[in-house]
Amino acid sequence: MNFNSIMSKEIQPPIAKIIPFELQKHGNVRIDNYYWLNDRENPEVIDYLNKENEYYQKSTEHTKPFQKELFEEMKARIKEDDESVPYFYNGYFYITRFEIGKDYPIYSRKKGNLEAPEELLFDCNEMAKKFSYFNLNGISISEDNKWVSFGIDTVSRRQYTIQIKNLETNEILPLKIENTTGGATWANDNQTIFYSRKDEVTLRPDRIFKHKLGSDPSKDVVVYFEKDDTFTVSVYKSKSKKYLIISSESTLTSEYQILLASTPDDSFKIFQKRTRELEYSISHYEDSFYIVTNKDKATNFKLMKTSENKTSKEHWIDLIPHREDVLFEGIDIFKDYLVVSERSNGLNKIKIIPWDGSESYYLPFDIETYTAETTTNIDFDTEILRFVYQSMATPSSVIDFNMRTKEKVVLKEQQVLGGTFDKNNYIEKRIWATATDGTKVPLSMIYRKGIKPNGKNPFLMYAYGSYGMTIDPYFSTTRLSLLDRGFIYAIAHVRGGEDLGRQWYEDGKLLKKKNTFTDFIDCSKHVIAENYTSAEHLYAEGGSAGGLLMGAIANMAPEIYNGIIAQVPFVDVVTTMLDETIPLTTGEYDEWGNPNVKKYYDYMLSYSPYDNVEKKEYPHLYISTGLHDSQVQYWEPAKWVAKLRVTKTDTKQLYFDINMDAGHGGASGRFEALKELAKEFSFLLDLEKIER
């Protein structure tokens, strides 16, 4: 008898009590036996979650030494005393660095050159000492370099408190602006900031405020209130520093307002009023705005231009037209160059276009499992483009590219410590699976040389597949702990992302959402058919909306997976999307559909993982969440686990791991996050009976 079966007899999982709750919509009645778990203030709920944690901890006690070993192994590959490549902005070089043994970043700057004395902005290790969770974001420097605004979250619900520090005296002002997104934007008078606040219940950023230094924040002026609850708002400054810009965004529609940064007390004016399904973004250069937009049915977007004095869409003229086979992703504007980020056949392309009319060109890349994207390019008057390059086997590099001479300087390549890593020991490739409807779906794969397609290899497949978010091939030092133990790793570029253009996204949302799930299943069947692995050794992983994907495949094709990892999974789709008080709900009707409309209700109900749990065998499951998660509420996975416990017919592992101190992103320290990863890896390796 093996250890697991002995343990299962001794340790019994908690069984949540059943309190039937009736949910009615469109004449349909659903009975939710675990609706009562939707109350984090209820001591019985906390007791149940603690019992689930206790069950998980006791059941995996035998893996604790291995978890520690994995943690130390992954930590040993990371350069602890690391620092970012400095970037130059408004007279200063800005640097983020880490020190040995410390979890949090230190932010600093140097005036004029890198030999200048360091000016400390923030040591987050000191600031985090009193808190189990800590996150600082939204650092924003005034134009006179005297003030810095920043946001702090100590709960992990992404409700930041804005504060301001005087960089000449190092004094943090007593000012505290609660319940914001953390970021703030300085007007050019160095006295005024604009920031966005959140609705207290839904956490939707819905208001832009103006604050004057020295004034009472309770008297801050509401500059803009977004009445439409499907939109969120933010505020920022154009790279040219000339304009303050308010952005209102929903899934399918955008609207911008502009104001000269030199006159912060004037009123913002609409750039182009919102028109349903018109998406656009704006960049300022000289006397014009450059607009990336889907206007005129440009599904994959195009580039247009207009005078800064005539901004409505009838004045926009085409610069780079729409192309059926190329997704236009964005632009970076410099004084002498326009840089265009594109995607064709699923691969990143970066194009350099000189403003003087001389010949444009693409940066060359020669493999199919890479990611190349522009990064921190804040300086306007420079001929240097900074971009990041990596592949599944190539560590991430920060590269400065001279757009005039075409010379390339690698400023930093991610170091993999330990002395054993050699990228030549790994094979990376792109393969294509055929989906049920005949669509070709790409997978990016990596594995160690010497692995044979014999059907016995442990195989971990990851996907996300929502919101048009593309998961490009990327390098991971932690992944090496699986690869070096014989795992094959793959990213399935399923529909619902924008990997193969905008239509790829359109074909994986709303009433076509099931394509995301069937694509993943078809990719899984393909790697089994090609003998890379078998159902006994295939594992799936996804988080958040990718956790919805995991819940769906667990119901739809449980027989082809040995185990599934679902991180902070969105699994109670219908109930959540009917509850307008939950953060993100109303803003996501264009992604999932509005279940107040019957056709969307019926379709969502047909795939919602929680609603479709059945009496049958499921794979081994490791499910994680955070009690304070604002994106996917903890009770979604809690209810799913409770229902699975009493419904599924197998005796396989079902672990529910709840971080009682964290939210959607998990633990806040860089090494604490490795401990969470070690749990996931030990789950997989334990199932494969790999013990070292």
Side-chain angles (χ1 to χ4, degrees):
M1 186 179 285
N2 69 23
F3 186 89
N4 281 339
S5 58
I6 295 170
M7 290 293 289
S8 63
K9 287 186 175 177
E10 294 175 359
I11 307 164
Q12 293 304 315
I15 302 299
K17 70 179 180 181
I18 288 174
I19 304 177
F21 184 82
E22 194 173 280
L23 295 157
Q24 290 192 41
K25 195 74 183 177
H26 304 299
N28 176 259
V29 178
R30 291 179 298 139
I31 304 298
D32 188 344
N33 289 328
Y34 305 105
Y35 192 86
W36 66 275
L37 289 170
N38 176 352
D39 180 7
R40 65 167 61 81
E41 303 303 320
N42 181 348
E44 286 189 75
V45 171
I46 299 301
D47 181 58
Y48 169 69
L49 297 178
N50 284 330
K51 282 177 178 169
E52 280 287 1
N53 266 344
E54 185 183 0
Y55 173 72
Y56 166 65
Q57 294 297 337
K58 286 183 176 175
S59 299
T60 57
E61 189 67 40
H62 65 290
T63 70
K64 291 290 168 55
F66 194 17
Q67 285 183 38
K68 188 171 189 305
E69 183 184 322
L70 286 165
F71 168 75
E72 295 296 344
E73 175 182 297
M74 291 188 284
K75 185 181 176 187
R77 294 194 197 102
I78 296 172
K79 188 176 186 326
E80 289 196 50
D81 55 338
D82 201 10
E83 71 175 44
S84 65
V85 176
Y87 68 85
F88 189 73
Y89 176 71
N90 198 23
Y92 284 82
F93 283 96
Y94 287 87
I95 302 155
T96 305
R97 60 182 171 84
F98 287 91
E99 293 183 347
I100 291 175
K102 294 185 178 178
D103 256 329
Y104 294 96
I106 296 166
Y107 297 100
S108 65
R109 67 179 185 175
K110 296 183 177 184
K111 188 173 184 178
N113 61 72
L114 291 170
E115 283 67 54
E118 180 183 72
E119 295 180 28
L120 180 68
L121 301 178
F122 304 105
D123 183 345
C124 294
N125 300 287
E126 290 299 316
M127 299 170 79
K129 278 184 175 174
K130 301 179 198 166
F131 307 104
S132 57
Y133 177 90
F134 181 86
N135 189 9
L136 182 148
N137 88 343
I139 293 173
S140 178
I141 312 278
S142 61
E143 294 298 336
D144 63 0
N145 290 307
K146 178 180 177 179
W147 306 99
V148 58
S149 67
F150 59 100
I152 288 177
D153 174 15
T154 57
V155 178
S156 188
R157 273 185 73 75
R158 303 187 185 185
Q159 290 173 285
Y160 291 86
T161 297
I162 288 177
Q163 296 180 258
I164 293 176
K165 181 178 182 178
N166 184 324
L167 293 174
E168 293 178 352
T169 65
N170 281 325
E171 172 200 10
I172 293 179
L173 304 185
L175 167 78
K176 288 191 175 181
I177 305 174
E178 310 280 354
N179 192 34
T180 76
T181 57
T185 300
W186 290 89
N188 290 351
D189 65 354
N190 304 302
Q191 294 294 307
T192 309
I193 60 168
F194 293 82
Y195 61 91
S196 54
R197 257 205 174 119
K198 297 187 169 189
D199 180 281
E200 292 278 2
V201 177
T202 67
L203 304 189
R204 176 176 74 95
D206 62 357
R207 286 160 293 166
I208 302 296
F209 282 82
K210 177 170 66 177
H211 174 80
K212 296 279 188 183
L213 278 185
S215 67
D216 180 350
S218 67
K219 305 279 197 313
D220 284 0
V221 177
V222 179
V223 173
Y224 177 67
F225 172 62
E226 178 54 72
K227 296 189 289 288
D228 188 330
D229 62 7
T230 66
F231 280 74
T232 60
V233 293
S234 61
V235 60
Y236 65 98
K237 190 186 288 184
S238 65
K239 187 173 171 179
S240 66
K241 303 183 184 179
K242 185 173 181 179
Y243 286 97
L244 298 163
I245 301 170
I246 292 175
S247 158
S248 292
E249 295 278 353
S250 75
T251 306
L252 296 176
T253 309
S254 9
E255 181 180 78
Y256 289 82
Q257 301 174 54
I258 59 174
L259 171 66
L260 289 170
S262 57
T263 59
D265 294 328
D266 288 354
S267 298
F268 282 82
K269 71 171 184 118
I270 299 280
F271 186 90
Q272 158 60 40
K273 70 178 182 182
R274 68 189 64 179
T275 306
R276 172 78 178 163
E277 297 189 11
L278 173 66
E279 296 178 67
Y280 70 95
S281 60
I282 58 176
S283 301
H284 177 254
Y285 173 65
E286 291 189 339
D287 59 357
S288 301
F289 279 97
Y290 291 77
I291 306 140
V292 178
T293 181
N294 66 348
K295 183 177 178 288
D296 308 320
K297 298 183 179 176
T299 309
N300 276 332
F301 292 80
K302 62 180 177 177
L303 185 65
M304 303 186 80
K305 176 184 177 181
T306 194
S307 159
E308 62 185 344
N309 300 316
K310 295 179 178 178
T311 61
S312 54
K313 65 182 180 182
E314 64 269 19
H315 300 294
W316 301 359
I317 56 171
D318 279 5
L319 269 191
I320 299 177
H322 175 254
R323 290 158 290 173
E324 292 291 341
D325 58 343
V326 178
L327 177 66
F328 195 107
E329 292 195 312
I331 59 174
D332 287 276
I333 287 184
F334 297 87
K335 183 166 171 280
D336 296 318
Y337 299 91
L338 172 67
V339 177
V340 174
S341 297
E342 304 175 347
R343 181 182 300 274
S344 61
N345 200 29
L347 300 175
N348 303 120
K349 303 283 174 67
I350 297 174
K351 187 176 187 179
I352 313 297
I353 305 172
W355 288 120
D356 66 8
S358 51
E359 192 173 350
S360 60
Y361 58 93
Y362 285 93
L363 270 60
F365 306 113
D366 54 6
I367 58 172
E368 288 193 323
T369 49
Y370 73 89
T371 298
E373 52 196 5
T374 64
T375 178
T376 312
N377 287 289
I378 295 174
D379 199 3
F380 186 68
D381 187 4
T382 178
E383 57 190 23
I384 303 298
L385 170 72
R386 182 165 293 178
F387 71 97
V388 174
Y389 176 88
Q390 61 187 314
S391 76
M392 295 188 86
T394 308
S396 176
S397 295
V398 179
I399 298 165
D400 270 3
F401 178 79
N402 188 305
M403 295 179 277
R404 178 176 54 82
T405 66
K406 301 185 183 178
E407 291 174 307
K408 191 169 73 172
V409 179
V410 178
L411 300 174
K412 178 181 181 181
E413 181 173 278
Q414 177 184 2
Q415 286 183 263
V416 184
L417 302 186
T420 59
F421 172 73
D422 179 350
K423 67 182 181 183
N424 296 310
N425 290 335
Y426 303 89
I427 292 171
E428 52 184 333
K429 62 167 71 168
R430 187 162 69 151
I431 62 172
W432 297 78
T434 303
T436 310
D437 62 2
T439 302
K440 298 288 187 186
V441 182
L443 294 94
S444 300
M445 286 173 55
I446 183 169
Y447 52 89
R448 272 195 80 101
K449 282 182 178 173
I451 282 182
K452 303 282 192 293
N454 58 12
K456 296 176 183 175
N457 303 301
F459 193 119
L460 178 60
M461 187 181 295
Y462 172 85
Y464 185 74
S466 290
Y467 303 109
M469 188 181 291
T470 298
I471 307 296
D472 283 312
Y474 65 96
F475 181 78
S476 165
T477 61
T478 55
R479 188 194 296 144
L480 298 172
S481 291
L482 293 180
L483 299 179
D484 292 348
R485 289 177 172 87
F487 266 77
I488 300 173
Y489 181 88
I491 300 167
H493 303 286
V494 296
R495 281 175 283 186
E498 254 179 11
D499 308 61
L500 293 181
R502 179 66 175 208
Q503 196 60 45
W504 201 248
Y505 170 42
E506 300 291 340
D507 289 342
K509 68 176 197 180
L510 296 174
L511 299 174
K512 296 180 180 178
K513 187 65 219 168
K514 288 183 188 175
N515 283 338
T516 304
F517 316 141
T518 54
D519 280 1
F520 191 91
I521 291 166
D522 290 331
C523 286
S524 303
K525 289 177 177 175
H526 180 76
V527 298
I528 291 171
E530 294 294 309
N531 240 22
Y532 287 108
T533 189
S534 60
E536 293 76 34
H537 299 286
L538 180 58
Y539 301 91
E541 176 191 18
S544 195
L548 161 64
L549 168 58
M550 295 300 103
I553 65 163
N555 286 331
M556 294 167 71
E559 71 284 353
I560 61 173
Y561 304 97
N562 191 39
I564 292 175
I565 295 172
Q567 305 140 331
V568 293
F570 172 44
V571 284
D572 190 16
V573 183
V574 180
T575 306
T576 289
M577 292 305 295
L578 281 168
D579 187 347
E580 295 180 5
T581 68
I582 293 176
L584 304 184
T585 292
T586 55
E588 306 217 337
Y589 288 157
D590 288 330
E591 179 72 26
W592 312 105
N594 181 349
N596 294 296
V597 178
K598 189 174 188 302
K599 68 176 179 178
Y600 292 115
Y601 175 89
D602 290 342
Y603 188 76
M604 293 157 83
L605 191 58
S606 73
Y607 69 74
S608 172
Y610 177 60
D611 292 288
N612 287 281
V613 171
E614 295 176 325
K615 283 196 178 302
K616 61 185 176 188
E617 293 194 11
Y618 280 83
H620 297 280
L621 293 164
Y622 172 88
I623 299 161
S624 60
T625 193
L627 180 64
H628 301 291
D629 196 327
S630 63
Q631 311 296 106
V632 178
Q633 308 298 320
Y634 74 87
W635 60 77
E636 293 201 36
K639 288 164 54 176
W640 185 39
V641 168
K643 190 173 183 180
L644 280 164
R645 287 230 182 273
V646 297
T647 308
K648 70 190 189 82
T649 59
D650 59 83
T651 56
K652 293 175 190 164
Q653 298 165 8
L654 170 54
Y655 297 144
F656 188 30
D657 182 13
I658 309 115
N659 187 325
M660 302 299 278
D661 295 318
H664 199 63
S668 58
R670 59 176 174 156
F671 300 129
E672 287 304 309
L674 292 181
K675 290 177 183 174
E676 295 184 356
L677 205 52
K679 292 178 186 177
E680 295 177 6
F681 284 6
S682 69
F683 168 74
L684 300 172
L685 294 163
D686 191 41
L687 289 172
E688 283 295 316
K689 299 179 175 56
I690 297 171
E691 297 176 355
R692 51 183 302 178

